[in-house]
Amino acid sequence: AVALWLPPGRRMGFWPVLRSGLAIVRSAMALPADDRRRMMPMFRQLDQKSKQHVPEPHWYLMALGTEPHRQGQGLGSALVRVATQRADQAATRTYLETETADNVRYYERHGFEVVEEVTTVGLGVPVWLMIRPPNPDG
């Protein structure tokens, strides 16, 4: 299992994301140039939405994944808890975007709430924007 969390005050720009090797980046780069160009407005849209919903420094869950044969064993949940506990201690919100309704239910179990569902510009893909307020009880 792996989680990519960005701590408060840190943003990952276009080039670092490109160099990250994340599967979604590799998949996007394998698309025809016209399709890649259609994705850029979506990235700008999601960036604008995150600034709107969480303008203050916050923890951002950029990616979470578990090998299929290890899913259901609590590994992903443990990685979510590590960062949300840090966020709770610092009284800081956490934020993420997800593309599936199953993921929405998963993150709701970890205290995240949907703040907006958007249809991405140019692609028409639904994306749920979710925030977890800090839990003072940890």
Side-chain angles (χ1 to χ4, degrees):
V2 64
L4 177 55
W5 284 96
L6 294 181
R10 298 290 301 265
R11 297 188 64 80
M12 199 163 175
F14 178 76
W15 292 112
V17 169
L18 190 61
R19 289 189 298 268
S20 71
L22 289 171
I24 192 164
V25 176
R26 289 192 311 272
S27 298
M29 295 312 294
L31 294 172
D34 286 344
D35 291 342
R36 287 195 313 266
R37 278 192 288 279
R38 284 191 8 230
M39 291 181 76
M40 293 311 293
M42 177 197 68
F43 292 130
R44 284 191 293 274
Q45 175 190 22
L46 293 177
D47 187 54
Q48 178 187 25
K49 289 292 185 179
S50 72
K51 290 175 183 174
Q52 173 188 336
H53 288 295
V54 280
E56 75 281 356
H58 58 278
W59 283 90
Y60 172 59
L61 180 56
M62 188 171 185
L64 177 68
T66 303
E67 290 282 348
H69 70 280
R70 299 298 304 267
Q71 290 177 355
Q73 297 177 16
L75 300 173
S77 291
L79 293 173
V80 170
R81 278 193 304 275
V82 167
T84 56
Q85 288 172 347
R86 285 183 178 178
D88 291 344
Q89 291 168 351
T92 305
R93 296 194 294 172
T94 51
Y95 177 79
L96 61 85
E97 299 116 356
T98 189
E99 299 81 27
T100 70
D102 286 343
N103 286 351
V104 169
R105 288 187 290 280
Y106 174 82
Y107 290 119
E108 285 175 337
R109 289 194 303 269
H110 291 284
F112 286 85
E113 303 164 355
V114 173
V115 292
E116 187 174 359
E117 180 182 346
V118 299
T119 300
T120 56
V121 175
L123 298 177
V125 175
V127 176
W128 289 266
L129 314 177
M130 303 185 76
I131 293 175
R132 182 185 177 276
N135 179 352
D137 298 325

